[in-house]
Amino acid sequence: ELKVEQNPLFLSMQEGKNYTIYCNYSTTSDRLYWYRQDPGKSLESLFVLLSNGAVKQEGRLMASLDTKARLSTLHITAAVHDLSATYFCAVNSGSARQLTFGSGTQLTVLP
Amino acid sequence: EAGVAQSPRYKIIEKRQSVAFWCNPISGHATLYWYQQILGQGPKLLIQFQNNGVVDDSQLPKDRFSAERLKGVDSTLKIQPAKLEDSAVYLCASSFISGGKGNEQFFGPGTRLTVL
């Protein structure tokens, strides 16, 4: 059974600081997703990482994938309040390509 | 392009009552998913359809949950009878195909169910 673990689960950070969220998964997968969820809202796709060494950046967020280590990171640069949300990683598995989600990282950016 | 539509957005029922949720996927998307998201957790897949056939329902509590996608477009998820632990947000998602580069899933706004 595929396990997806994120850490930290809760993160409070000051505006302007940098931080990294980690996503580990237990079995081989060739695709990893990062989603953002605002309170009471649905999931918004941020990144799709398709291969080992893939790196994608959008604004202050950068995601990377190491399939050998079964690890993805979401790096936040110079955080701003608008980035406050819950971030989920999700991994494809199985013949039907189901998504298995991590528990999420609740990010709060403080002024 | 219109996104995934779900209704109702909110529903409050008492335990042992029945409830149904509706989902209309993005036009042309063959694959439809229903997820359950309990507060503080990531979404958990309940059932996956490819057109009008079930691909995976291994995590669907079949004694009380049922889902259908009769014409391969919109879908309904039903709970009968509801239990307190069914309180959650029910998310519908769709993708162009299952697997390959068309696998990216797009999520609807969800239905927040409260069972009292």
Side-chain angles (χ1 to χ4, degrees), chain A residues 31 35 37 42 45 92 96 98, chain B residues 37 55-56 98 100 103-104 108:
Chain A
R31 191 163 303 181
Y35 287 90
Q37 188 175 40
S42 191
S45 178
N92 264 142
Q98 303 94 329
Chain B
Q37 186 178 20
V55 175
D56 181 6
S98 176
N103 190 54
E104 184 174 1

Side-chain angles (χ1 to χ4, degrees), chain A residues 38-66:
Chain A
D38 291 286
K41 301 293 179 66
S42 191
L43 289 94
E44 173 192 353
S45 178
L46 294 174
F47 301 108
V48 181
L49 301 170
L50 300 176
S51 61
N52 187 42
V55 177
K56 290 197 174 180
Q57 183 163 5
E58 181 74 32
R60 301 174 187 273
L61 300 178
M62 183 174 70
S64 65
L65 178 62
D66 181 345

Side-chain angles (χ1 to χ4, degrees), chain A residues 1 6 15 18 20 23 36 38 48-49 54 66 79 83 93 111:
Chain A
E1 181 188 344
Q6 285 182 240
E15 278 192 329
N18 305 332
T20 300
C23 174
R36 167 180 173 148
D38 291 286
V48 181
L49 301 170
D66 181 345
L83 290 178
S93 67

Side-chain angles (χ1 to χ4, degrees), chain A residues 31 33 35 37 40-43 45 48 50 88 92 95-104, chain B residues 9 35 37 40-43 45 48 55-56 91 98-101 103-105 107-109 112:
Chain A
R31 191 163 303 181
Y33 300 81
Y35 287 90
Q37 188 175 40
K41 301 293 179 66
S42 191
L43 289 94
S45 178
V48 181
L50 300 176
F88 292 95
N92 264 142
S95 57
R97 313 297 291 164
Q98 303 94 329
L99 276 184
T100 301
F101 283 81
S103 299
Chain B
R9 294 294 312 278
Y35 290 86
Q37 186 178 20
Q41 299 181 18
L45 180 68
Q48 177 181 345
V55 175
D56 181 6
L91 294 166
S98 176
K101 293 186 177 179
N103 190 54
E104 184 174 1
Q105 296 181 27
F107 285 81
R112 183 176 298 276

